[in-house]
């Protein structure tokens, strides 16, 4: 019996609705349109959407067709309550011929539900996040069949993303103000919500600025091209000098901020060009032959841009942004009455792709926040944003590039949301969050940060910090890090324009060891390649950089660079009471490690012979377990190495063949995948069997719902982003390791993602 319903058509039209969402300004209207469309196609008198309120842990009826309008906002169900609450709890569709006979049925007086006995509820979830429940009802008992359940499930999964956006926004406005009466729609004015991917943490609000685009500031361009302007060549010379001073100031500020970069002239491409007569002379010539000053600058900058853009040398192509930026500064300094502040100060910077050195430049200029089109939470550009403490959202949305520089953006980096021209409700909400944070900084969460960490049943857990820049060390110590579990040594290489030599590296490593005052420190050798290309190094053009010359493969290919780094590390740690560990990324075989170990041995012998180190102790050498091959060989690797470290950011990507930086397939990048969980367990068991110390340093340790599993399988040493430490400590203190072990054993028996999600969400 199909009663004339066309489920296929319904699925398609709802997909269209999903895309319509991105253009609508009214969220309630969007939900209303969903329930109307589903009701119309399924020929049902009642269709409703319940959204899950994470704070109150209850479902709230947010939109309905067929039930009384007063029920919206007032019908609330706890998880597991009623048929609807049970569908979300058990994460399965529930279909009833006669709803009132279901033991979970919950009667609500006055909403007009009693007439509709046939009931179908389908949970709306995204990954591990509960979003809500979609419900349809009909008078005729047994109206819904299996195909309806399948269709409604397909619809709910298609709509999950769009509904989640809606939910986030409604949650926000609900918290800031009482819910608006149903018949009055939220008036968002010209505001717009764009959903992206979280890149770091925090939130920020400011005017838009575009990175690497000459200028979108209408006033600036108009002034530049104004034939009537009375600017002279003297003004140009003055602007040139001001720009030079400005860049030198930025360079100094950057060095203060990032001590590991002291010898690097991050802004040198700008400065060199500025001082180069082949850049400034053509501008002078044009001015002298009668061109307006601004126009002369624009023309020459554009010429340089097109030469750089078409260069075969990738290093030159990367400089296009710098040239544009330079042009922008010159024009700004030519504009009468320009303000003294740097271009990106307090701005939300929108960019396509960013190099780490670009991000450093933007952060030095005190930008409030960043939006980039390419990336993900575990992409290294996001890791750097977290180190620099700059809010970052990843969003590929062409509307962002159509904004004018007068428009305001508010970004919430933790949620991955962008509000364009946010209304007062939104800004008030974030103002109050900011005020609360000022009163209670992250440090205050953990008054016992200095004490040893134990689970509730007294199992000792050690927590270390992942450090990318020296500037993070103080915070890591303050937040209770017992040492450094992962120092990503490539960051000083990445964010600068030139190769740090052995001496410079030595100074950086020594400083890190000194700042940690005898605590454990583990350095990881250079992990470049993949999404971390050195812009100044002649790189191969690889079709699959993550499968290419990356990490230890790069070091083994360029052994001189590797030896320089090892020498610097051995010298920095050589005479210490507690010498640092050195670990190697992307080891794929025992052979890799043996080769690396023998190179370390050679370096050590030479340093000893030259009297550069005196200590005869062997350094502790570790292996990062990041490849499926390393999981398979975990026992053998544990036997040859002094310690192992699980690098789950990569392990997940390589086990699941899901690029960690590609937002389009981020749903395949699932750290809770049963295969990943089993791999983690195998490695932990293998390390234990060999009595080899093991730690974990991937982002997985920041996922609150997976920490019990990790402790349950026996991991005791964790290394994470310093900002994540207070929350991690809180979770550990409340957890019982004995129970976690039993729960982990149960989780390891599950075969599907769905079952794992259901268990983790329960
Ligand atoms: C990892 O892969 O889990 C890791 C910690 O290293 P990175 O994120 O730098 O690749
Ligand atoms: Mg890695």
């Amino acid at each position: 019996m199909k009663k004339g319903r066309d489920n296929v058509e319904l699925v398609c039209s709802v997909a269209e609705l999903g895309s319509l969402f991105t253009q609508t300004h009214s969220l309630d209207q969007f939900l209303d349109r969903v329930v109307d469309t589903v009701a119309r196609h399924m020929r049902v008198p009642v269709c409703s959407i319940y959204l899950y309120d994470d704070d109150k842990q209850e479902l709230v009826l947010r939109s309905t067709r067929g039930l009384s309008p007063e029920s919206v906002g007032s019908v609330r169900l706890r998880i597991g309550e009623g048929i609807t609450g049970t569908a979300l709890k058990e994460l399965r569709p529930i279909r009833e011929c006669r709803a009132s006979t279901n033991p979970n049925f919950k009667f609500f007086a006055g909403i007009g539900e009693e007439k509709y006995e046939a009931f179908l509820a389908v949970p709306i979830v995204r990954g591990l996040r509960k979003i809500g429940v979609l419900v349809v009802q009909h008078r005729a008992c047994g109206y819904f069949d299996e195909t309806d359940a399948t269709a409604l499930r397909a619809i709910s999964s298609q709509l999950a993303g769009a509904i989640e956006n809606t939910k986030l926004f409604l949650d926000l406005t609900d918290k800031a103000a009482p819910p608006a009466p149903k018949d009055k729609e939220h008036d968002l004015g010209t505001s717009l919500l764009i959903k992206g991917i979280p890149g770091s943490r925090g939130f920020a609000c400011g005017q838009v600025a575009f990175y690497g685009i000459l200028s979108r500031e209408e006033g600036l361009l108009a002034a530049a091209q104004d034939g009537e302007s009375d600017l002279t060549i003297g003004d140009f010379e003055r602007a040139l000098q001001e720009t030079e001073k400005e860049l030198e100031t930025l360079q100094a500020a950057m060095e203060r901020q990032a001590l590991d970069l002291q010898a690097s002239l991050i802004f040198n491409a700008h400065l060199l060009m500025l001082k180069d007569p082949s850049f400034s002379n053509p501008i002078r010539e044009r001015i002298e032959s009668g061109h307006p000053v601004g126009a002369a600058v624009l023309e020459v900058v554009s010429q340089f841009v097109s030469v750089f853009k078409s260069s075969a040398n990738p290093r030159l192509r990367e400089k296009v942004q710098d040239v544009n930026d330079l042009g922008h500064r010159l024009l700004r300094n030519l504009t009468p009455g320009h303000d003294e502040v740097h271009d990106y100060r307090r701005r939300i910077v929108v960019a396509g792709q960013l190099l780490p050195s670009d991000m450093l430049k933007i952060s030095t200029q005190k930008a409030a926040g960043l939006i980039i089109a390419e990336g993900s939470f575990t992409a290294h550009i996001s890791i750097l944003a977290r180190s620099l403490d700059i809010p970052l959202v990843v969003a590929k949305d062409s509307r962002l590039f159509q904004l004018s520089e007068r428009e305001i953006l508010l970004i919430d980096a933790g949620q991955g949301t962008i509000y364009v021209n946010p209304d007062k409700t939104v800004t008030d909400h974030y103002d109050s969050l900011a005020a609360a944070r000022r009163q209670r900084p992250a440090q205050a969460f953990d008054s016992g940060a200095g004490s040893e960490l134990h689970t509730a049943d007294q199992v000792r857990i050690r927590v270390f910090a992942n450090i990318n820049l020296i500037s993070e060390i103080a915070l890591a110590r303050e937040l209770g890090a017992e040492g450094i579990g992962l120092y990503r040594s490539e960051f000083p290489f990445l964010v600068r324009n030139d190769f740090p030599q052995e001496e410079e590296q030595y100074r950086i490593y020594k400083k890190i060891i000194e700042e940690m005052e005898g605590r454990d420190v583990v350095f990881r050798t250079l992990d470049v390649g993949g999404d971390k290309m050195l812009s100044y190094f002649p790189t191969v053009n690889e079709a699959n950089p993550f499968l290419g010359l990356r990490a230890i493969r790069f070091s083994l290919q360029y052994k001189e660079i590797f030896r320089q780094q090892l020498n610097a590390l051995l010298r920095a740690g050589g005479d210490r009471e507690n010498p640092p560990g050195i670990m190697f990324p992307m080891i794929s075989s025992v052979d890799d490690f043996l080769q690396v170990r023998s190179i370390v041995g050679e370096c050590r012998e030479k340093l000893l012979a030259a009297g550069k180190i005196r200590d005869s102790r062997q350094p502790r050498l570790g292996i990062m377990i990041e490849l499926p091959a390393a999981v398979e060989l975990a026992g053998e690797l544990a036997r040859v190495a002094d310690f192992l470290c699980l690098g789950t950011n990569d392990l997940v990507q390589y086990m699941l063949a899901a690029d960690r930086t590609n937002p389009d397939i981020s749903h395949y990048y699932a750290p809770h995948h049963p295969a990943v969980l089993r791999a983690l367990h195998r490695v932990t068991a293998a390390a234990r069997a060999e009595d080899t110390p093991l730690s974990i340093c991937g982002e997985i340790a920041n996922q609150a719902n997976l920490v019990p599993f990790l402790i349950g399988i026996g991991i005791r040493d964790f290394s994470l982003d310093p900002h994540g430490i207070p929350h991690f400590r809180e979770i550990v203190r409340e957890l019982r390791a004995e129970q976690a072990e039993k729960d982990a054993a149960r989780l390891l028996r599950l075969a599907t993602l769905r079952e794992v999600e259901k268990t983790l969400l329960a």
Side-chain angles (χ1 to χ4, degrees):
M1 174 179 79
K2 255 321 355 133
K3 307 165 223 94
R5 286 169 270 157
D6 187 344
N7 290 330
V8 176
E9 188 199 328
L10 172 60
V11 173
C12 297
S13 61
V14 171
E16 279 164 32
L17 257 189
S19 68
L20 259 186
F21 168 78
T22 51
Q23 289 145 31
T24 184
H25 290 169
S26 167
L27 301 161
D28 278 328
Q29 181 196 29
F30 168 70
L31 294 181
D32 289 348
R33 287 170 74 178
V34 173
V35 293
D36 276 350
T37 311
V38 176
R40 192 171 66 250
H41 284 277
M42 289 190 98
R43 313 246 159 104
V44 291
V46 178
C47 177
S48 314
I49 289 180
Y50 292 78
L51 293 185
Y52 183 62
D53 181 331
D54 305 79
D55 282 351
K56 297 201 179 111
Q57 302 200 342
E58 60 183 19
L59 280 161
V60 184
L61 178 62
R62 277 314 303 213
S63 178
T64 184
R65 175 195 162 128
L67 301 184
S68 96
E70 287 74 45
S71 58
V72 170
S74 59
V75 173
R76 286 165 184 267
L77 294 160
R78 286 190 312 281
I79 206 134
E81 191 183 10
I83 303 176
T84 307
T86 307
L88 190 62
K89 179 172 182 220
E90 296 181 4
L91 294 178
R92 64 181 178 95
I94 299 185
R95 183 161 56 90
E96 282 299 338
C97 297
R98 217 178 255 286
S100 57
T101 62
N102 182 308
N104 288 320
F105 178 74
K106 183 169 165 79
F107 176 68
F108 283 100
I111 66 170
E113 200 183 22
E114 49 284 356
K115 304 190 281 281
Y116 307 111
E117 280 281 32
F119 197 101
L120 174 58
V122 172
I124 310 169
V125 272
R126 268 199 110 190
L128 291 176
R129 295 188 296 280
K130 295 176 182 132
I131 316 252
V133 182
L134 185 58
V135 176
V136 285
Q137 292 171 264
H138 198 276
R139 276 173 207 274
C141 293
Y143 180 82
F144 301 111
D145 57 24
E146 193 55 41
T147 58
D148 293 314
T150 308
L152 208 61
R153 230 161 127 167
I155 293 161
S156 94
S157 72
Q158 291 213 41
L159 282 176
I163 293 180
E164 185 182 33
N165 289 341
T166 313
K167 175 171 130 38
L168 283 172
F169 191 79
L170 291 175
D171 278 357
L172 197 66
T173 46
D174 276 357
K175 275 164 205 149
K182 178 64 195 157
D183 48 351
K184 281 193 220 139
E185 279 180 4
H186 290 294
D187 179 12
L188 298 180
T190 54
S191 66
L192 176 69
L193 171 69
I194 293 175
K195 184 78 182 86
I197 295 174
S200 60
R201 62 187 157 262
F203 47 84
C205 187
Q207 261 177 281
V208 186
F210 295 94
Y211 187 70
I213 295 172
L214 185 50
S215 182
R216 294 275 288 280
E217 284 179 51
E218 289 131 32
L220 206 57
L221 283 182
Q225 285 158 327
D226 182 4
E228 299 299 306
S229 106
D230 46 13
L231 292 174
T232 63
I233 191 144
D235 292 313
F236 169 67
E237 300 297 348
R238 180 190 43 76
L240 211 56
Q241 276 171 18
E242 272 186 35
T243 307
E244 193 176 322
K245 243 191 282 153
E246 206 174 277
L247 290 168
E248 281 164 0
T249 311
L250 280 176
Q251 174 68 29
M254 193 273 308
E255 286 176 13
R256 273 198 305 279
Q257 181 186 342
L259 299 170
D260 8 20
L261 300 162
Q262 264 171 3
S264 174
L265 273 176
I266 282 277
F267 289 94
N268 73 349
H270 296 62
L271 278 163
L272 285 177
M273 232 176 90
L274 207 60
K275 290 173 199 247
D276 184 358
S278 67
F279 173 72
S280 50
N281 280 350
I283 303 179
R284 290 188 185 98
E285 283 158 20
R286 278 177 166 73
I287 299 170
E288 275 157 7
S289 67
H291 283 62
V293 178
V297 172
L298 260 185
E299 278 167 31
V300 173
V301 167
S302 310
Q303 228 170 43
F304 269 76
V305 165
S306 63
V307 171
F308 279 37
K309 242 187 197 160
S310 54
S311 164
N313 181 343
R315 274 197 76 182
L316 279 181
R317 286 203 303 274
E318 279 166 5
K319 298 290 168 254
V320 168
Q321 314 239 40
D322 290 343
V323 183
N324 275 328
D325 192 46
L326 188 61
H328 184 87
R329 282 173 193 286
L330 274 171
L331 289 177
R332 212 182 165 86
N333 287 333
L334 274 171
T335 314
H338 70 87
D339 53 17
E340 291 301 319
V341 292
H342 305 305
D343 302 347
Y344 299 121
R345 189 173 288 253
R346 291 194 290 272
R347 299 287 197 104
I348 304 291
V349 178
V350 178
Q353 267 184 329
L354 273 190
L355 292 171
S357 53
D358 295 323
M359 180 172 288
L360 203 70
K361 286 174 204 156
I362 293 170
S363 138
T364 306
Q365 291 169 60
K366 302 277 180 266
L370 260 178
I371 300 172
I372 54 172
E374 305 284 337
S376 68
F377 193 76
T378 53
H380 285 94
I381 199 74
S382 304
I383 291 175
L384 178 60
R386 297 198 281 281
S387 293
L388 292 168
D389 211 11
I390 181 163
L392 168 75
V393 174
V394 180
K396 215 184 211 164
D397 194 310
S398 57
R399 288 172 297 174
L400 288 167
F401 288 91
Q402 287 151 19
L403 299 173
S404 96
E405 287 192 334
R406 275 192 304 261
E407 293 187 85
I408 302 290
L409 290 179
L410 189 156
I411 62 172
D412 183 332
Q415 300 269 6
T417 40
I418 301 166
Y419 300 92
V420 181
N421 297 321
D423 69 9
K424 194 166 173 318
T425 339
V426 176
T427 51
D428 282 355
H429 171 76
Y430 280 96
D431 284 348
S432 61
L433 274 184
R437 265 181 211 187
R438 276 195 297 276
Q439 279 173 5
R440 193 171 186 246
Q443 290 85 324
F445 283 120
D446 191 1
S447 50
S451 58
E452 283 194 351
L453 179 62
H454 292 94
T455 60
D457 51 352
Q458 294 312 308
V459 173
R460 172 84 166 102
I461 302 293
R462 297 197 300 167
V463 58
F464 300 88
N466 290 348
I467 296 289
N468 308 317
L469 297 173
I470 290 184
S471 49
E472 294 171 279
I473 294 182
L475 180 71
R477 288 182 45 181
E478 205 175 314
L479 296 180
E482 299 183 44
I484 296 176
L486 164 69
Y487 173 71
R488 288 186 170 97
S489 71
E490 61 278 7
F491 274 81
F493 286 72
L494 284 169
V495 293
R496 50 192 288 154
N497 295 326
D498 50 5
F499 232 108
Q501 298 301 305
E502 181 181 320
E503 264 327 288
E504 260 175 74
Q505 292 186 53
Y506 165 72
R507 277 202 299 274
I508 295 173
Y509 305 148
K510 196 154 173 279
K511 176 131 185 72
I512 293 170
I513 294 168
E514 280 168 5
E515 292 215 356
M516 290 313 287
E517 295 173 349
R519 296 174 182 84
D520 284 355
V521 176
V522 174
F523 289 99
R524 176 178 71 188
T525 59
L526 200 57
D527 183 1
V528 292
D531 63 338
K532 292 182 284 192
M533 292 299 180
L534 297 176
S535 61
Y536 47 86
F537 199 77
T539 43
V540 264
N541 241 345
E542 297 177 311
N544 296 300
F546 274 116
L547 304 182
L549 195 64
R550 192 192 155 191
I552 199 64
R553 299 173 182 179
F554 180 95
S555 297
L556 291 174
Q557 171 96 1
Y558 299 105
K559 290 210 183 63
E560 255 333 285
I561 295 173
F562 191 36
R563 287 200 183 96
Q564 274 185 16
Q565 179 169 39
L566 291 173
N567 286 342
L569 285 169
L570 292 168
R571 285 172 54 207
D575 296 336
R576 302 272 145 184
E577 190 64 18
N578 178 17
I582 304 175
M583 69 176 171
F584 305 95
M586 228 182 139
I587 294 286
S588 63
S589 61
V590 177
D591 313 58
D592 274 353
F593 180 71
L594 295 181
Q595 193 185 353
V596 159
R597 196 170 67 180
S598 93
I599 298 174
V600 176
E602 286 162 21
C603 290
R604 231 182 112 258
E605 290 305 316
K606 280 195 184 147
L607 289 173
L608 279 169
K612 291 189 176 170
I613 53 171
R614 291 188 301 275
D615 195 348
S616 56
R617 276 174 303 179
Q618 298 287 341
R620 285 186 303 130
L621 302 183
I623 292 175
M624 286 197 78
I625 305 290
E626 305 188 279
L627 302 184
V631 173
E632 203 59 43
L633 294 173
E636 286 84 348
L637 293 173
R639 221 164 293 147
V640 291
D642 298 317
F643 62 96
L644 301 183
C645 179
L646 280 158
T648 49
N649 298 343
D650 278 311
L651 186 59
V652 172
Q653 104 162 326
Y654 291 125
M655 284 201 70
L656 304 178
D659 180 345
R660 65 193 262 186
T661 65
N662 183 347
D664 298 332
I665 47 116
S666 60
H667 51 294
Y668 282 105
Y669 185 93
H672 60 284
H673 191 292
V676 174
L677 300 185
R678 290 178 197 186
L680 298 178
H681 175 238
R682 278 183 61 193
V683 175
T684 311
R688 183 174 282 177
E690 295 296 331
D691 213 11
T692 303
L694 169 118
S695 63
I696 189 164
C697 66
E699 290 296 330
I700 200 169
N702 271 323
Q703 273 184 253
N705 51 11
L706 283 171
V707 170
F709 170 80
L710 301 173
I711 290 179
I713 58 172
I715 299 178
R716 297 294 177 258
D717 287 353
F718 292 77
S719 188
L720 47 149
D721 173 1
H723 290 270
I725 292 177
H727 189 215
F728 176 83
R729 290 175 63 96
E730 234 172 47
I731 297 170
V732 170
R733 281 202 208 97
E734 283 167 19
L735 181 142
R736 301 193 71 81
E738 204 185 327
Q739 184 60 40
E741 196 177 327
K742 287 184 196 141
D743 294 343
R746 220 168 309 131
L747 215 56
L748 285 167
R749 284 195 291 274
L750 303 179
T752 67
L753 274 159
R754 226 177 90 71
E755 287 169 302
V756 174
E757 284 159 13
K758 212 165 120 180
T759 311
L760 291 177
L761 281 168

